[in-house]
Amino acid sequence: MKRRKFLLSAGAIGSMGFTGRWISRPEDTLNVKVWFSERAAAYPGLRRRVGDYLGRAFRRAHDGTVLEFGGTLRVSTERAYDLVVGGEWPRRLAQGSAGLGPATPCDDVNLLVTDEPLTEWPTGAGVPHVAAVGGAAAMASLPPAAIASTVVGRTWGTYAMQVALHECGHALGLDHDVGSMRPDDGALVVSPMVSGYPWETQSIKAEYFDYERSVCGCRYVEPDGREPRLMLRYSDCAAERIRTYRGGVTPW
């Protein structure tokens, strides 16, 4: 098990103190629920942008996607990674499931969006059924999804949205080896489960992204000076796994 996966599973899931149960949602649906921190919720248009971009990506992968919003929450920090790994966000979901708080979870993906700038790594985290990501201001600045391509240049807004898809992928059990990358002239087009890792330092890649190819056969290459172009949809490989996702033991 990679160190990242161990830290996330041991830190977040292990800190809940709740016994899991088998989920019972219909197999032809995929449920995605989104919450916002109080600071994130203050940005006009954020809810529409997140709903439209996530909805577009998930419905391309699974036509039974049901996306809903859970509301606004007060959190101790805007650091999305800390909220997951430290256990605060998973515990809030566990308490909500028990009727002890407002964050009642859905069966598949429970995403919390915060107002953390994406200038420091890590920018988010995802464990089974639970995800969090920063970048609310950047996401709110995006153009409407209806007029935006699914392959875009990297801006703070497009990067934040792709990281949101990345962490939701982790919530569905996907890892970094379920992605795609392809050279395109002077650019390297990367899918959400690859995201910005090719441009990270060698030490970060050695620890978190030491794959030579995806599980579906796509060869992972070095950027070699190419600029990033981001897919705001899942790769065919990831989409197939999302379509066949059948849940598992929930932590609440």
Side-chain angles (χ1 to χ4, degrees):
M1 178 182 287
K2 287 185 178 292
R3 181 173 177 271
R4 176 192 181 280
K5 191 181 295 184
F6 173 79
L7 287 174
L8 290 177
S9 60
I13 300 300
S15 69
M16 288 187 214
F18 287 79
T19 302
R21 62 177 176 81
W22 286 101
I23 66 174
S24 58
R25 62 162 175 78
E27 290 189 351
D28 60 348
T29 65
L30 183 79
N31 301 311
V32 180
K33 196 169 184 178
V34 183
W35 287 259
F36 301 104
S37 70
E38 288 181 336
R39 278 175 43 181
Y43 293 102
L46 177 64
R47 173 171 169 155
R48 173 168 290 183
R49 293 293 181 267
V50 170
D52 288 351
Y53 278 90
L54 261 63
R56 180 178 68 172
F58 271 107
R59 290 180 184 115
R60 285 178 67 106
H62 194 302
D63 58 12
T65 296
V66 177
L67 190 146
E68 60 182 323
F69 291 92
T72 301
L73 299 172
R74 179 173 297 177
V75 293
S76 65
T77 177
E78 299 296 317
R79 286 280 294 161
Y81 181 87
D82 292 347
L83 288 169
V84 175
V85 174
E88 180 176 338
W89 178 222
R91 280 195 298 271
R92 296 282 290 275
L93 291 167
Q95 291 163 357
S97 178
L100 303 176
T104 303
C106 73
D107 293 327
D108 298 322
V109 179
N110 297 276
L111 173 68
L112 175 63
V113 178
T114 75
D115 191 31
E116 174 195 8
L118 299 188
T119 52
E120 293 184 20
W121 187 89
T123 52
V127 295
H129 307 286
V130 180
V133 67
M139 285 190 268
S141 73
L142 286 169
I147 63 172
S149 173
T150 58
V151 178
V152 294
R154 177 168 168 164
T155 66
W156 284 118
T158 58
Y159 178 58
M161 193 62 70
Q162 196 191 54
V163 174
L165 292 171
H166 179 102
E167 303 306 348
C168 287
H170 283 317
L172 292 170
L174 305 183
D175 211 338
H176 302 148
D177 59 346
V178 187
S180 70
M181 59 170 66
R182 58 178 174 84
D184 183 16
D185 293 330
L188 185 64
V189 180
V190 294
S191 70
M193 298 316 297
V194 172
S195 195
Y197 275 106
W199 292 271
E200 289 291 352
T201 64
Q202 289 300 323
S203 61
I204 288 178
K205 287 193 286 186
E207 190 166 359
Y208 301 101
F209 195 77
D210 60 346
Y211 302 104
E212 294 184 355
R213 61 180 62 245
S214 79
V215 295
C216 295
C218 171
R219 189 166 68 91
Y220 286 172
V221 300
E222 292 294 328
D224 293 332
R226 297 183 180 93
E227 294 294 320
R229 284 184 61 79
L230 311 181
M231 291 168 54
L232 297 184
R233 57 178 174 81
Y234 290 102
S235 68
D236 292 343
C237 184
E240 176 62 25
R241 280 154 177 75
I242 291 172
R243 281 192 292 273
T244 58
Y245 175 74
R246 292 293 179 265
V249 178
T250 61
W252 32 78

